[in-house]
Amino acid sequence: MADQAAGQRAYAGYADAITTIFREEGMKGFYRGIFASYWGCTEGALQFILYEQIKTRMLKRQNKHLAAQGLPPSDQLPKSTYFMSAAAAKMIAAVATYPHEVARTRLREQAREGIFKYTGMWQTLGVIAREEGRQGLYSGMGVHLMKVVPNSALMFLTYEVVRSWLGEFTIVAEK
C-alpha cells in the first residue's frame, strides 16, 4: 500500500508501474529482490532432498514390517505416506528458508521520500532482525505454509501416482 505522506503513490496500472519504475530507478528497479529470489531456489532443492530421504526411510520401515510378517518387500508406499512425506519436506524447507520471502517482499517496497530503506538481501535481513527481531523474519509464515504445504503435498502425490501408472503401462507394453 502506498504511503502518500512519504512520497509513495499507487500505480494506475501495469503500464504505469513499468514506466514509473523505469523512469525513477532505471533497469535496476526491475531486479529488486532478485538475490532473495535466488535464495528461494534453495527451498526447492532442500525440499526434494528431504522428500527423497523421508520416502526412502519410510520404504525401508515398511519393508522391515513386511519382512517381519513373512511378506515380500514392496517398492511402493501408501498414497497417504507420499502425501505426508511431501508435506513434511515442504514444511521443513519452507521454515528453514522463509526469511528470503520477507526480504524479497521488503526489497520491492517503494522508496519513502526518495530513499530506499532496504538495499540488498543481507542488509534487509539485518535491518529486520535489528528492528523487529526473529518475529519480523518469520512474519506471515503461517499463511504462507497454509498455502504452499498442501499444494506441494498434492503435487508430489500426483507425481508418484502418475509415475506408478506409467510404470504399469510400461510393463503392459513390454508384454
Side-chain angles (χ1 to χ4, degrees), residues 2-174:
D3 182 356
Q4 292 175 347
Q8 295 179 336
R9 68 182 197 81
Y11 297 120
Y14 191 70
D16 181 39
I18 290 172
T19 55
T20 302
I21 291 168
F22 185 74
R23 184 177 54 246
E24 293 178 3
E25 302 175 53
M27 284 303 292
K28 183 179 162 187
F30 295 112
Y31 293 95
R32 285 195 166 280
I34 196 164
F35 292 110
S37 294
Y38 289 155
W39 187 14
C41 295
T42 62
E43 179 181 345
L46 182 58
Q47 175 187 352
F48 275 94
I49 292 167
L50 290 169
Y51 176 70
E52 288 299 326
Q53 289 293 313
I54 293 168
K55 192 172 76 167
T56 299
R57 289 181 184 183
M58 296 304 288
L59 190 59
K60 284 181 183 177
R61 186 180 196 185
Q62 173 184 284
N63 284 334
K64 186 177 177 183
H65 288 300
L66 290 173
Q69 297 172 355
L71 298 170
S74 174
D75 63 348
Q76 295 291 312
L77 289 165
K79 289 173 181 57
S80 61
T81 303
Y82 289 125
F83 184 87
M84 295 307 290
S85 298
K90 182 61 173 185
M91 183 168 300
I92 293 167
V95 170
T97 61
Y98 187 73
H100 92 275
E101 294 280 353
V102 176
R104 186 177 63 192
T105 301
R106 301 281 180 97
L107 281 162
R108 292 180 179 156
E109 289 180 358
Q110 287 186 27
R112 293 178 154 271
E113 299 172 3
I115 300 170
F116 286 100
K117 180 175 184 177
Y118 305 109
T119 58
M121 185 181 75
W122 297 113
Q123 181 266 353
T124 301
L125 293 173
V127 169
I128 295 168
R130 268 191 315 280
E131 293 180 357
E132 303 171 42
R134 186 174 295 159
Q135 275 185 318
L137 293 171
Y138 287 90
S139 63
M141 185 176 68
V143 173
H144 178 72
L145 292 176
M146 288 179 8
K147 178 181 76 171
V148 299
V149 171
N151 178 47
S152 185
L154 284 170
M155 181 186 66
F156 275 73
L157 173 61
T158 302
Y159 164 77
E160 294 293 351
V161 169
V162 170
R163 189 176 66 89
S164 73
W165 289 345
L166 291 174
E168 291 172 12
F169 176 74
T170 304
I171 291 170
V172 171
E174 288 175 356

